[in-house]
Amino acid sequence: MKILVALLSLLAILLVALPGPLYKHQILELAPAFAALRYAVYVGIAALVLLLVQIIFMRKNISWPVTAISAVFAIVAIALPVSMMGKAKSVPPIHDISTDLVNPPNFVAIAALRADAPNPAEYAGEETAKQQREAYPELITEIYQQSSEQLFEVAQAAVNDLGWTLVNANKAAGLIEATDETTWFGFKDDVVIRISNTGEERFLDVRSKSRVGKSDLGKNAERIHTLLDAINAKL
């Protein structure tokens, strides 16, 4: 029983830990990677049930350090996928977020990088905009009094500070494009920043879009918030 519990707990944590890196290095497709996370929950639950049986009926034969480690592995294997599922249910199933929903910034240099991506470079449309308005009403065009040159330099510095890959920085067009890669699965999400002039004010819009997946688990909205916070902190 002890060996079985230990093996199940180890299997559960591996089913959580390995799918991300395996997908990131193109060893595993996305569908089986997500399936592994679901199986991790089932295996983790089985391990906890057997642990409970062990504690109740086989207490004399328990190795408490091994039992504790097995319990931690099983709990993590259950908690992480369940947390992701909960997050998915709490946000709309969209992956294209923009501060300007009427005229979203377009990808220019990045468009070619997304040529083979499941999610096209074009804006996702009015249905996505409607869901965004309900979920993230605070994401709107930012207005600044600083010069276009200063705002551009600060925005580019913020992109660099965040560790994103700068793809295009066109000061004349007021356009900055970059790619952010998630740590675990290595998902690549693209960002475009647009700075425009109107009289004495400057308007800054940001759009962030995932290359794969239907739902971004709120990551693109979070990324825009992070960028705007970094820009405002510098200003």
Side-chain angles (χ1 to χ4, degrees), residues 1-232:
M1 176 71 83
K2 290 187 292 186
I3 295 176
L4 178 59
V5 170
L7 288 175
L8 283 176
S9 300
L10 179 60
L11 176 59
I13 199 68
L14 289 177
L15 285 171
V16 166
L18 292 181
L22 290 177
Y23 172 79
K24 185 176 182 178
H25 292 92
Q26 300 179 342
I27 299 172
L28 195 65
E29 295 294 330
L30 190 58
F34 282 160
L37 295 179
R38 290 196 298 271
Y39 291 138
V41 176
Y42 305 143
V43 176
I45 291 173
L48 284 182
V49 170
L50 290 179
L51 269 173
L52 186 59
V53 171
Q54 209 177 9
I55 292 171
I56 295 174
F57 298 106
M58 306 174 187
R59 184 182 297 269
K60 293 181 180 180
N61 298 321
I62 283 181
S63 170
W64 289 107
V66 174
T67 299
I69 294 172
S70 297
V72 169
F73 281 0
I75 291 170
V76 170
I78 296 169
L80 191 56
V82 168
S83 175
M84 291 175 63
M85 294 174 195
K87 182 67 174 178
K89 292 180 180 179
S90 69
V91 297
I94 56 179
H95 55 261
D96 194 349
I97 306 297
S98 174
T99 56
D100 186 345
L101 297 175
V102 177
N103 180 31
N106 292 317
F107 294 112
V108 180
I110 280 179
L113 302 179
R114 299 182 62 102
D116 298 326
N119 296 333
E122 293 75 22
Y123 183 64
E126 180 54 35
E127 180 58 33
T128 291
K130 178 182 177 182
Q131 293 183 69
Q132 181 188 319
R133 290 188 188 98
E134 295 176 356
Y136 313 113
E138 75 284 358
L139 288 179
I140 58 176
T141 301
E142 296 287 307
I143 303 174
Y144 296 93
Q145 302 299 321
Q146 288 83 356
S147 68
S148 297
E149 291 77 10
Q150 182 182 0
L151 191 54
F152 188 93
E153 291 174 0
V154 167
Q156 185 173 343
V159 166
N160 292 330
D161 290 348
L162 290 170
W164 301 350
T165 300
L166 185 65
V167 177
N168 178 32
N170 188 333
K171 186 177 289 187
L175 202 67
I176 298 172
E177 296 175 89
T179 297
D180 182 25
E181 184 173 326
T182 63
T183 303
W184 187 18
F185 271 80
F187 292 129
K188 290 185 177 181
D189 299 342
D190 297 309
V191 180
V192 54
I193 304 167
R194 182 182 64 199
I195 299 170
S196 55
N197 273 298
T198 302
E200 297 181 354
E201 295 178 325
R202 254 54 60 195
F203 298 108
L204 184 144
D205 283 294
V206 185
R207 180 181 168 206
S208 181
K209 182 169 186 174
S210 305
R211 293 190 189 182
V212 299
K214 182 179 179 181
S215 174
D216 62 5
L217 302 184
K219 183 63 179 179
N220 286 299
E222 177 186 320
R223 183 178 294 109
I224 292 177
H225 277 299
T226 299
L227 175 63
L228 292 177
D229 287 346
I231 291 173
N232 292 332

